[in-house]
Structure formats: structure tokens, C-alpha cells
Amino acid sequence: MNKLIKDQATILNTHPYSDSSLIIKALGKESGNIDIIAKGIRKKSDSFILQALNDYELTLYTPREGGLHLLKESSLTKERHYQNPKNWATALCGAELMQKQLISSDEHRQYYELLSSFLDYLIGLDAEPLPVFWRLLNRIIHLQGLELKTCICSGCEEQKPEYAYTKHDAQLYCQECTHNLIPPRDLHILSEEAARIFFHLDHIGNHLNELKLSKSTIQEINDFFGDYYLAHNRKTLKLKSLSVLEQLYV
Ligand SMILES: [Zn+2]
């Protein structure tokens, strides 16, 4: 008999499996990223179906070796509704981002709480939601022990608006330091809007109402984080939900 555990978890994603079952990806407060099979759940009434972005207390049988947890019981502890489609799509981006993280067991709770506060913040937000996702990404980068300060120039190390970055190492530079660089082939000059978002990213919540996000600024910032991820984690950051969200902007 496998061990029975109870955990508080946020549902990241669900996929139908066979005629009646559901495969669930969840982020548990104690368990971290887990895959769960809920057998026969789709034959029950809707109230039994686990929904993405909600929190549940789950009772699970642990797998023997890296397989799927088996759902025994669930009880809804927090339901999250998003009226605005952009906020909802942004919330899904955060959930997908969490699925990609390799989280060490002493950090499960931190990631769980980070995601919870991100999802809760978006519920009542009446401003551009996407920068809140970039802030989440920035916080995860910090939890990974990387030093990304999008308001400090990599050249002079002063707190100044960034002017450009080099794509191969995703280092940001102020205007003066950019001009002192031996012109690298992969320099990207930032738009004013992107530079402003980077400068305020740590406290972006205070600036959301001033921002006018265009599709090109969004792609620019997503590309920067993609380049940063590739340079530091040697893997690409491809989120399907982020491409969906980009399409909601013109
Ligand atoms: Zn500088």
C-alpha cells in the first residue's frame, strides 16, 4: 500500500485521460510540482472536477517511483474567478511558468506562496496585468539565486534607466555604457516603454496605471526574459499561454 498524504495545492493544469479520468498538474505547499491522476472523476458531478487556478486540500496516494500520485479526495479551499480575460490569461501564464520549475524540497512552500499571491493579486486588478507576470518571473529568477536587477546598469553598476542589452548574455546597460561598448553584433536598443518597465519592475504594482503596453513592447520584454533564461539556465522559456496572451494585445 502506498503512503497517504494530505496537501494544500494550486491546480496548474488539467487534461482529460481515457473516458473518465483526469491528469492534473498541481503545485503543492509541501509536495511542490506533482502530477496526479484522478480516476473516474469526469463521471462525477461538476463540483468534483478540479479546476485550474483553484486551491484544494488534496488527499493523495504517493507514487512508488516518480509516477503519478493518485487522487483519493479533494476539497475546494479557494476558488479564483477572473472577470477580465487578460487577467485570466496572465494567471494561466504564471501557472504554466510554475510547471517548468525544478523546485528543491526546502523551497516548495516559497513557490506555492509566491504563486498564490500572484493569482490573488490578479483577481481584483483593474490595470495592465502582464507586468505582474514579469515581476513573478523576476522573483523566480531571484529564488534561483540569480542576480537580475533590471534597474541597474551592468557596466557602471549604477541605478539608471537601461538603454540596451546584449542578447547573448542578457546584460542591460545604461545609455553611456552602451556607447562605450565595443559595438556587439547582438545589441538590442530598448524602446522607451520597455526601459520604463524594467526600471520600475520591482515595484511595478505602483505603475500599472501609467503603462500603455503595445504588442511590440510585450514581445520585446518577453524576448529579453527568453534571452536571460537561455543565457543563465541554458534552456528556452517557451510558454504557450504567453503566446496566447500576446494575441490579446494590438
Ligand atoms: Zn552604465
Side-chain angles (χ1 to χ4, degrees), residues 41-57:
I41 198 169
R42 286 162 58 219
K43 291 202 168 145
K44 297 183 181 175
S45 76
D46 280 357
S47 60
F48 281 96
I49 303 270
L50 283 81
Q51 304 273 5
L53 308 177
N54 287 345
D55 272 27
Y56 297 83
E57 188 183 72

Side-chain angles (χ1 to χ4, degrees), residues 152-158 160-162 172-178:
I152 293 181
C153 168
S154 301
C156 60
E157 297 186 350
E158 284 177 38
K160 281 184 184 173
E162 312 287 5
L172 290 154
Y173 296 96
C174 73
Q175 189 164 11
E176 212 180 321
C177 290
T178 301

Side-chain angles (χ1 to χ4, degrees), residues 8 15 24 57 60 73 95 104 123 131 136 140 150 152 156 170 178 200 222 249:
Q8 188 68 32
H15 289 286
I24 298 152
E57 188 183 72
L60 304 163
E73 279 168 7
S104 63
I123 291 175
L136 175 74
I140 287 178
T150 57
I152 293 181
C156 60
T178 301
H200 295 297
N222 287 340
Y249 288 85

